[in-house]
Amino acid sequence: MNRKNFLQQLALFSAGSVLTPSLINTFTQSDSFHPIRNNIGTFTGRGGTIGWMATSELIVAVDSQFPNSAEKFISGISEYGSGADRILFNTHHHGDHVAGNGVFSREKYRIVAHQNVPELQRTTSEDQGNENNQTYAGITFDTEYTFDAGSEKITAKHYGPGHTGGDSVIRFNEANIVHMGDLVFNRWYPFIDREGGASIENWIRILETVEDEADSGTVFIFGHGNANYGITGDSSDVLYMRDFLSKLLEHVQNGLDQGKSREEITNVEQFSEFPNHQSAGARLSLPANLQVAYEELTD
């Protein structure tokens, strides 16, 4: 991998970042609305999956992708609803989930996120020199935020650090649909944002807790998905992600117990137990995941 491609992937999930063409094509089906039930669905464009609810009274969106795809979402959602009351939830601070905030703000969406998200977004954007392009959540919460959407009750909940230090799970309670943000990369090697407060150990607990709160009818929306498995699924997909993260820690701990070097522990391209996992380059690969797991267990 050349330096240019590496830097593109390094910036993939940072505030204001861009996706490489290969990731755009592989992570998502461009500019596509998919209703699920109860006026709720998904939009796949350029970035993390947008969840939505649209009626004649209100429009709710979960995550904002990038400005160009945010504009396409705003234009297309009018086919499903045109409510004057509008709210946007940010599941976390990464650019492929918040860079479109400004577009939503201009359309009078109130933006809600966990209290850590604006500061994490600000810090990342300052590091990249694009802080002037940011729009931050104006409504923040500590552990839980509830929004009454008429016949639907929407709950945003923070379970502690996972993929980042500010992840929220967004639950459409009556429809029994749960947006996981990047707490689930469905059969993709995830980005584990250690600098942004990630904790693999607690991430595992989050997935177990959320799955325990679900039932056999719960539909989960995932931030990203392998093209063969998609961006929606059920509890088994959530637990598959849990099992992968558990394997990361188990593999590293076993290597440490055996006195292996960091290079020996992390130089693994595929776990046999997870043959369907795909990599999107060095930043989103098993060796990269193992490096973070090594750091977490040796701090």
Side-chain angles (χ1 to χ4, degrees), residues 235-284:
S235 291
S236 66
D237 300 302
V238 175
L239 293 180
Y240 193 89
M241 181 76 190
R242 182 273 314 267
D243 292 344
F244 171 75
L245 295 173
S246 297
K247 178 63 179 180
L248 287 179
L249 295 182
E250 176 189 345
H251 173 85
V252 173
Q253 188 60 59
N254 286 342
L256 292 170
D257 292 344
Q258 295 167 25
K260 291 184 178 180
S261 69
R262 178 171 182 152
E263 182 178 2
E264 288 175 314
I265 292 171
T266 60
N267 188 24
V268 181
E269 295 300 325
Q270 190 97 34
F271 287 143
S272 61
E273 300 95 327
F274 300 92
N276 298 314
H277 263 61
Q278 295 181 356
S279 170
R283 188 69 169 174
L284 301 174

Side-chain angles (χ1 to χ4, degrees), residues 38 40 53 55 58 60 87 89 144-157 169-179:
N38 292 32
I40 297 166
M53 175 181 174
T55 70
L58 82 163
V60 178
I87 187 167
F89 291 93
E144 188 171 309
Y145 178 89
T146 299
F147 178 70
D148 186 357
S151 61
E152 182 58 76
K153 180 180 178 182
I154 302 170
T155 305
K157 191 170 182 180
V169 173
I170 314 300
R171 182 174 283 102
F172 296 87
N173 292 276
E174 300 303 319
N176 200 11
I177 295 173
V178 181
H179 197 306

Side-chain angles (χ1 to χ4, degrees), residues 79-100:
E79 296 185 17
Y80 299 91
S82 57
D85 191 10
R86 300 173 181 182
I87 187 167
L88 167 67
F89 291 93
N90 288 157
T91 61
H92 62 290
H93 72 284
H94 290 151
D96 62 320
H97 296 257
V98 303

